[in-house]
Amino acid sequence: MAFENIYTLTDNAIQEKIGKRLKSLRLRQNITQSRLAIEAQVSLSSIKKIEKGEIGSFDSFLRVIRTLGTLDVLQPLMEEMQMSPNEYYEFVNSARRKARKRATSKTNNTITKEESTW
């Protein structure tokens, strides 16, 4: 199967592909649109729109993919990026370079002859 470069697709084309995929998953699980709407707590019209590729509400989309058991496709977006050892080294060293220099506590309480003494 040829793999399509997602970056070459328009937003609408991506939404249509996702909608078709969700419809296919729903049918494979033998779930009606009405039942999916009830279980995902979204309207039937939202299910129909999503399956046509009209994903207008991210909240509804999340509810549908959670109900269909495909929420894990978003897992990479939830994980924190790991730093490579070189990136960590640079990060630590840049933090040290930017460390605030503190003022010294040395005070000069003596008055020189040149200073005014009102």
Side-chain angles (χ1 to χ4, degrees):
M1 176 163 121
F3 195 72
E4 220 172 340
N5 183 349
I6 196 167
Y7 292 98
T8 63
L9 300 174
T10 65
D11 293 349
N12 288 338
I14 293 170
Q15 289 185 52
E16 287 174 13
K17 287 185 172 290
I18 291 171
K20 286 179 184 176
R21 177 76 170 141
L22 292 176
K23 181 177 181 177
S24 174
L25 288 169
R26 177 183 61 77
L27 292 172
R28 248 192 270 151
Q29 294 177 28
N30 198 26
I31 300 173
T32 64
Q33 286 180 326
S34 297
R35 185 171 141 215
L36 179 59
I38 291 167
E39 289 182 16
Q41 298 179 348
V42 299
S43 68
L44 178 58
S45 64
S46 291
I47 298 296
K48 291 178 179 183
K49 286 178 182 180
I50 288 170
E51 289 186 354
K52 285 194 291 185
E54 299 171 13
I55 304 171
S57 165
F58 190 68
D59 180 59
S60 295
F61 174 70
L62 285 177
R63 290 171 186 240
V64 168
I65 64 173
R66 182 187 305 273
T67 302
L68 292 174
T70 58
L71 193 59
D72 59 320
V73 298
L74 299 178
Q75 188 65 39
L77 295 175
M78 300 295 296
E79 295 171 358
E80 289 191 32
M81 300 282 288
Q82 296 294 320
M83 283 188 198
S84 72
N86 288 340
E87 289 172 326
Y88 180 75
Y89 176 79
E90 288 297 321
F91 174 74
V92 169
N93 282 331
S94 71
R96 284 183 188 154
R97 285 190 295 264
K98 294 178 185 175
R100 181 178 167 264
K101 302 216 186 235
R102 298 192 180 265
T104 60
S105 62
K106 295 179 186 176
T107 58
N108 188 359
N109 291 333
T110 60
I111 300 175
T112 64
K113 292 180 186 178
E114 297 172 7
E115 291 181 322
S116 172
T117 57
W118 290 81

